[in-house]
Amino acid sequence: MPVPVVTALINFSTGPSFAQTMILDTGILDTNVLGDASAVIVDVSNQVNRIETNRGRTALSDQFQTGALTLRIVDQNGDFNPQNVTGPYYNLLTPMKKVQISATYSSVTYPIFQGFITSYVTTYPNESGEDVAITTIQAVDAFRLATLAQISTVTGATAGDLSGTRIGQILDQIGWPSSMRDVDAGLTTMQADPGTNRTALAALTTVATSEYGALYVDATGEFVFQDRNVTAGSIGGTPTIFADNGTGIDYFDATWILNDVLVFNKATITRLFGSPQVATNQDSIDKYFLHSYFLDNLLMQTDAVALDYAQAYVASRAETSIRVDSIVLDLYTDNYNSGILAALGLDFFDPIKVITTQPGGSTLEKTLQIFGVRMNISPNSWKTTFTTLEPVIDAFILNDTIYGTLDYNVLSY
């Protein structure tokens, strides 16, 4: 049974880029990175016995989190001993070096994770009679770097900037390469930057939230900013269907949940220098009790836009229904070509439909967006878990234009 082939690379160069260094008069333009010496890039794939990655968004905060990698390496020669003066990586084993995980299937290479090493932990488990060290590498994606970067002013950030322009200005402020960005123009105009001391990630998140958009680092290591047309509207695309009745891609497990975690029936949205804008749904309050949502110091230019946000949020979250919390794909399932392609190719905001047959012949069926991807890989196992949620805002009206799609018949102003 063909399964994906994993490649694990460690790049011991400095800087954010994962590309090989381009020395003057050599290399490939727009591919390599200008430098004065070649980067030391090593393939440790044949030493890896476990890979775990986790990227995604938390339901309560509606924010994407720092992606994480655990890479477990069998070190039979002491290569990852930082005090081994004869080792191939002597003086190179320091934090913030780069690591890249990818998978090749049917001659196509798919990115899984790119990030920066935070620690090397060496243990000596009694797994065999041989002298074997296990080095566990922990890594995070570029969100961590934006958290560590403190900023105050943002050069050129004036009133009237579109959200995508402001995202670019903040990334410029911390020196993030333009080649490692995928930034939508945005639809919401911003106030001038407040010029307060905060982390770059806090500044980026404020802009993304003011747009009703999304900010995350993708599997290639790029900062991605998507505007509200994507975050709300992509649910209307053609979903990938997973089903246990033969009508879609088979899956290993699906977790269905019905709870009040995503219920919000009162929203208070306040822009910087603005007044609180409040929206409520009394029917939802009567049914579920008060579930409040607050956001302060956003950067949209007018209170009217802040009110749109509050109304749209309550319209989207006043009601709840059963949903798929997560779905697990087992890539070692026989004849699983379509499942493997889905596991490697789907990512955030892609719509999926899950169908689960219940005892007695009834079914559970729901269309949702992917908001989290976890990979658990070992020599004889590969499971991919998609966590799913309904759109951040299902649909809303802004300047008499409807964005997104309606899941509930509750949108009214």
Side-chain angles (χ1 to χ4, degrees):
M1 177 188 67
V3 294
V5 177
V6 176
T7 300
L9 301 178
I10 298 176
N11 184 329
F12 287 108
S13 67
T14 57
S17 177
F18 293 84
Q20 176 57 279
T21 304
M22 180 179 73
I23 304 172
L24 286 175
D25 299 322
T26 66
I28 305 172
L29 288 173
D30 298 324
T31 299
N32 302 124
V33 179
L34 188 62
D36 56 6
S38 295
V40 178
I41 301 176
V42 296
D43 188 335
V44 296
S45 306
N46 63 352
Q47 296 176 261
V48 173
N49 80 341
R50 186 178 303 159
I51 297 172
E52 298 176 3
T53 67
N54 191 12
R55 303 167 43 246
R57 189 191 107 197
T58 59
L60 285 177
S61 69
D62 278 340
Q63 303 293 339
F64 285 91
Q65 305 299 307
T66 300
L69 163 72
T70 298
L71 179 66
R72 195 170 186 259
I73 294 175
V74 179
D75 185 10
Q76 294 179 304
N77 302 314
D79 293 344
F80 286 87
N81 175 3
Q83 295 183 343
N84 182 2
V85 296
T86 62
Y89 315 136
Y90 183 65
N91 282 337
L92 296 175
L93 295 169
T94 61
M96 290 294 109
K97 295 301 171 65
K98 291 163 285 192
V99 60
Q100 177 179 0
I101 309 297
S102 61
T104 301
Y105 181 73
S106 294
S107 301
V108 177
T109 298
Y110 299 86
I112 294 177
F113 184 89
Q114 292 193 169
F116 303 86
I117 296 171
T118 56
S119 68
Y120 310 80
V121 178
T122 301
T123 57
Y124 300 88
N126 188 20
E127 294 183 353
S128 69
E130 302 178 1
D131 292 330
V132 174
I134 299 295
T135 296
T136 301
I137 291 175
Q138 302 286 350
V140 293
D141 66 21
F143 253 34
R144 169 74 180 276
L145 304 186
T147 301
L148 297 174
Q150 295 282 331
I151 65 170
S152 55
T153 59
V154 176
T155 302
T158 58
D161 288 335
L162 283 172
S163 53
T165 298
R166 184 64 55 82
I167 292 288
Q169 292 163 342
I170 298 169
L171 292 174
D172 288 343
Q173 197 71 33
I174 63 173
W176 191 257
S178 58
S179 61
M180 297 179 66
R181 311 176 190 178
D182 181 4
V183 177
D184 288 348
L187 299 167
T188 302
T189 55
M190 301 287 108
Q191 300 180 47
D193 183 77
T196 55
N197 293 324
R198 71 269 198 214
T199 68
L201 184 58
L204 291 163
T205 300
T206 297
V207 175
T209 304
S210 301
E211 164 67 33
Y212 333 124
L215 176 79
Y216 58 90
V217 173
D218 68 10
T220 70
E222 291 188 348
F223 269 97
V224 177
F225 170 65
Q226 293 185 316
D227 66 27
R228 58 179 178 261
N229 274 344
V230 174
T231 59
S234 63
I235 191 69
T238 302
T240 300
I241 299 174
F242 297 92
D244 64 355
N245 59 7
T247 62
I249 300 170
D250 196 16
Y251 53 84
F252 178 77
D253 191 17
T255 302
W256 292 83
I257 188 169
L258 174 59
N259 61 19
D260 70 339
V261 168
L262 299 181
V263 172
F264 290 100
N265 42 42
K266 179 179 179 180
T268 303
I269 306 298
T270 308
R271 68 185 183 96
L272 190 65
F273 307 121
S275 59
Q277 302 299 304
V278 182
T280 60
N281 184 304
Q282 191 59 49
D283 288 343
S284 177
I285 293 172
D286 293 341
K287 186 175 183 179
Y288 299 114
F289 303 101
L290 184 63
H291 289 57
S292 300
Y293 181 77
F294 296 90
L295 282 175
D296 297 323
N297 296 319
L298 298 186
L299 291 177
M300 60 275 288
Q301 285 193 295
T302 68
D303 282 344
V305 176
L307 180 60
D308 283 336
Y309 193 134
Q311 292 173 327
Y313 205 89
V314 170
S316 300
R317 300 301 179 89
E319 190 52 75
T320 189
S321 62
I322 194 167
R323 60 183 173 83
V324 179
D325 189 56
S326 64
I327 180 171
V328 182
L329 309 183
D330 183 353
L331 275 60
Y332 275 66
T333 301
D334 290 337
N335 302 315
Y336 203 51
N337 179 66
S338 59
I340 292 172
L341 293 175
L344 298 178
L346 295 177
D347 204 13
F348 303 148
F349 296 105
D350 286 333
I352 65 172
K353 177 187 285 187
V354 182
I355 302 171
T356 300
T357 304
Q358 295 291 287
S362 64
T363 60
L364 291 168
E365 182 175 326
K366 190 78 172 184
T367 299
L368 298 158
Q369 289 175 323
I370 292 174
F371 275 109
V373 181
R374 295 197 303 270
M375 301 277 188
N376 289 275
I377 308 168
S378 65
N380 298 307
S381 174
W382 187 323
K383 288 187 172 64
T384 296
T385 301
F386 293 132
T387 54
T388 62
L389 286 169
E390 288 158 348
V392 177
I393 293 179
D394 293 329
F396 56 91
I397 298 174
L398 182 61
N399 297 331
D400 299 321
T401 300
I402 297 178
Y403 298 91
T405 57
L406 288 174
D407 279 353
Y408 316 114
N409 186 24
V410 297
L411 185 60
S412 61
Y413 303 133

